[in-house]
Amino acid sequence: MPRQRMAPGEHGRITESVSGGKYFATTYVRDSDGRRRRVERSSDKSAEDARRILQRHLSARRAPLDSQQVNDKTTLSELFERWIEAKVKRGEIKPQTENQYRRVWAKHGEKQLGALRILELDTPRADTHIQAVAAATPAQAAYLRLVLREMYALAVRFGVLAINPIAGTETAKRNRKPVRAVSAEEFAAVRSAVAAYTGSRDGKGGPRPGRLLPAFVEVLAATGARPGEILALRWSDVDLLADPPTVTISGTLLDHGAAGPLHRQEARKHDAPAHTVTLPRFGVEALTELIGESGMEGPVFATRDGGWVSLANLRRCLREALPEELSWVTPHSFRRTVGTVVRRELGPAAAQQQLSHAELSTTERHYVQRQTVGPDVRAALDKFAGQESGDRK
């Protein structure tokens, strides 16, 4: 009867030998690629010790992967590059996301983990490092865990290991601050501070600091759009003569970094479709005044040369303009403010539509200030308690 062929992953009989004072244990393994390979381990103590060493090796052994792009000799630095290059090639991430991942890896991964080979980073060690980063910067730790998890998912697909060790790490907890919207009184104070700031050099020669800042604040508060989307507006996106007047948000402005020079990206966040919003009167007035600054061609918010305006510059101007008690206000604060105002007056569904969120939960959790005043439910509670409404004082 012919000898039965070994199944992939099985090994044959272990033989023992002695040579030059060393003990050897040898067998043949049929690997997952179907090929039969000789495997040997040695010991200076005894043949039985050599056998135990070989058996331990066989229990963890995987087929050689030397010809693959990712194998058991690949370092984490090499794995990161192959992972992110594949993501970019497949069009799964935008340049700004690539830039963000590279910054996180350079700061929290390259020096600390980069020289390790894939099999040398286990779950306990990975979790210890992620939690150490989380103690200082929770948001960065969350990104680092995401990067490592996807890197190791690539290693699993190449068969270097069977289980993703990052899956067992604890999620880095982010302490989210409560959503804070700008009140009507605070908005009046912001307007006043911005006007004083931009007028601080009138009559002194030279360009006014933050000359576009007042209009930028007004349009942010008039639309609830993201700051980068407002700065990406073109006059072709604006219709002030329509009834009602509108602006259509169809792109976003990308600043310097891996994304390249300051330029307009012809897509919104998450490739969301173009979003048209109606303009309140103060938004129309702000945009009408801007016509004198940039004309009716090209960017709505334009430099003196007709180019795009950097969000970083306007952020800096807003910080300089605001007094200490309003230092918490950022360009993104106005998106939360619009969401809160619309939700309060028209309900959560209207707020979701205004901010163009795919899910209502996103609007409620991240962009609307939590209500802390309950509704008038006296009639319902009096009825429950058996008290007539006329007896209520």
Side-chain angles (χ1 to χ4, degrees), residues 24 42 49 55 70 72 92 127 129 183 221 229 288 315 336 360 363 375:
F24 295 87
S42 64
D49 190 51
Q55 288 173 329
V70 176
D72 53 5
E92 295 179 3
D127 187 67
H129 179 61
S183 68
E229 294 173 337
T288 301
R315 276 203 190 103
R336 302 185 186 100
L360 178 59
T363 310

Side-chain angles (χ1 to χ4, degrees), residues 150-275:
E150 292 204 10
M151 285 167 56
Y152 269 90
L154 178 62
V156 170
R157 289 198 296 274
F158 271 98
V160 180
L161 31 67
I163 299 174
N164 189 332
I166 311 304
T169 61
E170 186 178 1
T171 302
K173 296 180 180 179
R174 301 175 64 174
N175 297 321
R176 296 186 181 276
K177 295 180 179 179
V179 175
R180 184 175 181 182
V182 179
S183 68
E185 294 76 15
E186 289 169 334
F187 186 46
V190 168
R191 279 173 156 171
S192 178
V194 166
Y197 175 76
T198 55
S200 62
R201 290 190 60 177
D202 281 348
K204 298 182 180 180
R208 287 182 300 160
R211 64 185 180 85
L212 297 175
L213 185 59
F216 181 55
V217 169
E218 296 293 304
V219 179
L220 284 172
T223 62
R226 300 177 179 90
E229 294 173 337
I230 293 299
L231 293 181
L233 285 175
R234 303 159 300 189
W235 282 111
S236 58
D237 302 318
V238 180
D239 192 348
L240 298 179
L241 300 180
D243 187 14
T246 64
V247 295
T248 298
I249 300 157
S250 59
T252 191
L253 201 66
L254 298 186
D255 223 322
H256 305 282
L262 187 65
H263 67 284
R264 186 182 194 274
Q265 175 181 280
E266 303 299 323
R268 297 174 60 221
K269 188 175 182 180
H270 302 312
D271 290 320
H275 179 55

Side-chain angles (χ1 to χ4, degrees), residues 283-299:
V284 173
E285 292 172 352
L287 288 169
T288 301
E289 290 183 10
L290 276 180
I291 295 175
E293 293 278 355
S294 60
M296 291 290 288
E297 298 291 335

Side-chain angles (χ1 to χ4, degrees), residues 6-329:
M6 290 186 297
E10 289 184 341
H11 65 83
R13 183 170 62 90
I14 296 175
T15 60
E16 299 164 357
S17 60
V18 182
S19 176
K22 294 192 72 173
Y23 299 90
F24 295 87
T26 307
T27 190
Y28 282 89
V29 178
R30 187 168 181 233
D31 282 317
S32 57
D33 59 2
R35 298 179 64 180
R36 185 169 172 266
R37 295 181 174 90
R38 183 173 185 268
V39 182
E40 183 178 82
R41 287 295 182 270
S42 64
S43 170
D44 294 327
K45 297 179 181 179
S46 65
E48 182 62 28
D49 190 51
R51 174 184 284 269
R52 283 195 297 268
I53 293 172
L54 176 60
Q55 288 173 329
R56 284 198 296 268
H57 170 72
L58 291 173
S59 66
R61 183 179 182 277
R62 304 185 71 81
L65 302 168
D66 290 339
S67 62
Q68 294 185 173
Q69 288 184 333
V70 176
N71 55 60
D72 53 5
K73 295 181 176 63
T74 301
T75 66
L76 293 192
S77 290
E78 294 167 340
L79 181 63
F80 172 80
E81 287 300 327
R82 286 166 184 162
W83 165 73
I84 200 164
E85 286 171 6
K87 297 278 283 186
V88 172
K89 185 177 181 180
R90 292 193 298 266
E92 295 179 3
I93 56 175
K94 289 185 169 63
Q96 60 268 36
T97 304
E98 177 193 357
N99 190 30
Q100 187 173 46
Y101 289 165
R102 287 189 178 279
R103 285 199 305 268
V104 169
W105 179 253
K107 185 172 183 179
H108 300 293
E110 177 64 35
K111 292 182 180 179
Q112 300 88 342
L113 306 173
L116 293 174
R117 291 182 175 180
I118 291 175
L119 298 179
E120 293 176 331
L121 182 65
D122 57 15
T123 300
R125 184 170 186 175
D127 187 67
T128 297
H129 179 61
I130 291 170
Q131 299 311 317
V133 175
T137 54
Q140 293 285 294
Y143 278 116
L144 176 64
R145 184 176 184 271
L146 183 152
V147 168
L148 285 170
R149 190 178 69 240
E150 292 204 10
M151 285 167 56
Y152 269 90
L154 178 62
V156 170
R157 289 198 296 274
F158 271 98
V160 180
L161 31 67
I163 299 174
N164 189 332
I166 311 304
T169 61
E170 186 178 1
T171 302
K173 296 180 180 179
R174 301 175 64 174
N175 297 321
R176 296 186 181 276
K177 295 180 179 179
V179 175
R180 184 175 181 182
V182 179
S183 68
E185 294 76 15
E186 289 169 334
F187 186 46
V190 168
R191 279 173 156 171
S192 178
V194 166
Y197 175 76
T198 55
S200 62
R201 290 190 60 177
D202 281 348
K204 298 182 180 180
R208 287 182 300 160
R211 64 185 180 85
L212 297 175
L213 185 59
F216 181 55
V217 169
E218 296 293 304
V219 179
L220 284 172
T223 62
R226 300 177 179 90
E229 294 173 337
I230 293 299
L231 293 181
L233 285 175
R234 303 159 300 189
W235 282 111
S236 58
D237 302 318
V238 180
D239 192 348
L240 298 179
L241 300 180
D243 187 14
T246 64
V247 295
T248 298
I249 300 157
S250 59
T252 191
L253 201 66
L254 298 186
D255 223 322
H256 305 282
L262 187 65
H263 67 284
R264 186 182 194 274
Q265 175 181 280
E266 303 299 323
R268 297 174 60 221
K269 188 175 182 180
H270 302 312
D271 290 320
H275 179 55
T276 299
V277 297
T278 57
L279 287 170
R281 183 172 60 186
F282 71 89
V284 173
E285 292 172 352
L287 288 169
T288 301
E289 290 183 10
L290 276 180
I291 295 175
E293 293 278 355
S294 60
M296 291 290 288
E297 298 291 335
V300 172
F301 291 88
T303 64
R304 296 186 183 279
D305 297 328
W308 301 105
V309 174
S310 168
L311 176 57
N313 289 342
L314 285 173
R315 276 203 190 103
R316 174 181 53 79
C317 290
L318 184 61
R319 285 196 303 269
E320 293 175 355
L322 296 180
E324 179 63 29
E325 61 271 19
L326 292 173
S327 60
W328 59 272
V329 177

Side-chain angles (χ1 to χ4, degrees), residues 330-351:
T330 68
H332 210 74
S333 298
F334 299 102
R335 182 166 171 82
R336 302 185 186 100
T337 299
V338 171
T340 299
V341 170
V342 173
R343 197 274 304 269
R344 184 188 304 131
E345 297 294 329
L346 303 173

